[in-house]
Amino acid sequence: AQRVTQPEKLLSVFKGAPVELKCNYSYSGSPELFWYVQYSRQRLQLLLRHISRESIKGFTADLNKGETSFHLKKPFAQEEDSAMYYCALRGYSGGYQKVTFGTGTKLQVIP
Amino acid sequence: EAGVTQFPSHSVIEKGQTVTLRCDPISGHDNLYWYRRVMGKEIKFLLHFVKESKQDESGMPNNRFLAERTGGTYSTLKVQPAELEDSGVYFCASSHRPTARQGYYEKLFFGSGTQLSVL
C-alpha cells in the first residue's frame, strides 16, 4: 500500500522566514512524488514534481529515499505563498497506477 | 482552453436524498478521476475512468455511490441515498494519456470541486 504523511496541519511563518513543509511517504517501489497547491478560491494545481528537479515560485523539494521524505522548502516566504499544500505520490496499487494525497498543510505567511 | 468543470459548486441535501455531481473534463482527456476530501483528512481516490471504461473503482466507499462516463466525455457521480458521512468536497481531475515522450508523466488538472453537505 502507498501512503503519504504530512504531519503538520498548519504552519505559520513570518514573511521572509524560511519555510519547510514536511512530507513522508511509504511505498515499496520507486515513487513519483509531487506537490500540489490550492490557493484561496482557486483550484488544486500542480506545483512541482521530483523528477524534473525544478524550482517553482522559489520552492524546491528533494526526494530522500533513505528517509522516505519529500519536504517542500523555500528560503524566504512571501505573503502570496499562503495556501493549502498537498504532497502526493504516484505509484502502483492493486495493479493500477494511482495518485495518493496527504492530508495537506495549510501555510500561513504572516506579514 | 476550458478547464475541468464541476457542477454544482455546492449542494446541501438531507440524509436519504439523492445527489448527482457532474464533471466535464478538458476536451480530449481520456483519463478522468474522482477524489473526495473529508474535512481534516486526505484527498482520497474514488475511481478512475479511461474514456468510458472504469479502470479502477477500488476507492468507492460502498454501493451507494455510482459513477458513469457515457461516451467517454463528461462523468456523473450519484450518491443514493446520501448519508451524513458522505459530506465533503468532491474533486474531479482529468489528464492526457501520458506518452513515452512525456516520460509517462501524467499531469492532473483539477476542477473546483463540489462541496456536498448532508444534513
Side-chain angles (χ1 to χ4, degrees):
Chain A
Q2 55 194 59
R3 178 185 286 182
V4 176
T5 303
Q6 292 181 252
E8 304 141 325
K9 287 194 174 181
L10 173 66
L11 181 66
S12 296
V13 301
F14 285 102
K15 178 182 173 181
V19 174
E20 183 178 50
L21 300 170
K22 290 184 167 47
C23 171
N24 288 87
Y25 68 90
S26 172
Y27 184 65
S28 56
S30 290
E32 288 181 65
L33 285 149
F34 308 83
W35 277 97
Y36 280 80
V37 61
Q38 188 171 24
Y39 300 102
S40 179
R41 298 191 182 88
Q42 292 189 29
R43 302 168 186 217
L44 193 63
Q45 57 187 288
L46 179 68
L47 179 63
L48 57 77
R49 55 188 180 121
H50 89 272
I51 288 177
S52 56
R53 293 179 175 272
E54 56 205 343
S55 173
I56 304 293
K57 299 184 180 183
F59 285 98
T60 59
D62 291 317
L63 176 59
N64 185 324
K65 291 187 177 181
E67 295 182 359
T68 59
S69 68
F70 188 57
H71 304 326
L72 183 67
K73 300 177 183 179
K74 183 170 183 176
F76 308 104
Q78 303 298 315
E79 289 180 64
E80 57 266 29
D81 296 329
S82 294
M84 196 74 184
Y85 291 80
Y86 293 91
C87 183
L89 179 154
R90 182 166 180 252
Y92 281 91
S93 179
Y96 300 107
Q97 280 209 333
K98 189 174 295 182
V99 177
T100 298
F101 289 84
T103 49
T105 299
K106 183 175 182 178
L107 175 64
Q108 184 179 58
V109 180
I110 304 165
Chain B
E1 177 185 84
V4 177
T5 306
Q6 290 188 248
F7 183 83
S9 57
H10 294 83
S11 180
V12 181
I13 61 173
E14 293 187 350
K15 176 182 171 181
Q17 289 185 319
T18 298
V19 63
T20 300
L21 313 180
R22 172 169 170 147
C23 169
D24 286 73
I26 291 173
S27 178
H29 280 191
D30 288 341
N31 294 301
L32 188 150
Y33 301 83
W34 283 98
Y35 287 87
R36 177 174 72 175
R37 184 180 66 206
V38 173
M39 187 177 290
K41 297 193 176 182
E42 73 273 22
I43 297 174
K44 188 177 177 189
F45 167 84
L46 296 179
L47 87 157
H48 170 206
F49 283 99
V50 177
K51 297 186 179 178
E52 67 275 6
S53 300
K54 290 178 185 174
Q55 180 76 15
D56 179 4
E57 53 184 332
S58 60
M60 295 287 263
N62 50 61
N63 59 10
R64 295 185 293 103
F65 288 76
L66 175 64
E68 294 179 326
R69 193 183 181 193
T70 306
T73 54
Y74 71 91
S75 174
T76 57
L77 179 64
K78 180 190 286 187
V79 186
Q80 179 182 30
E83 297 289 343
L84 300 179
E85 64 265 24
D86 301 333
S87 296
V89 180
Y90 289 76
F91 292 103
C92 176
S94 72
S95 70
H96 279 298
R97 187 187 294 264
T99 65
R101 177 181 291 183
Q102 296 164 323
Y104 297 102
Y105 161 54
E106 180 185 15
K107 181 177 178 180
L108 296 178
F109 293 84
F110 281 83
S112 301
T114 294
Q115 172 76 58
L116 175 64
S117 298
V118 183
L119 307 178

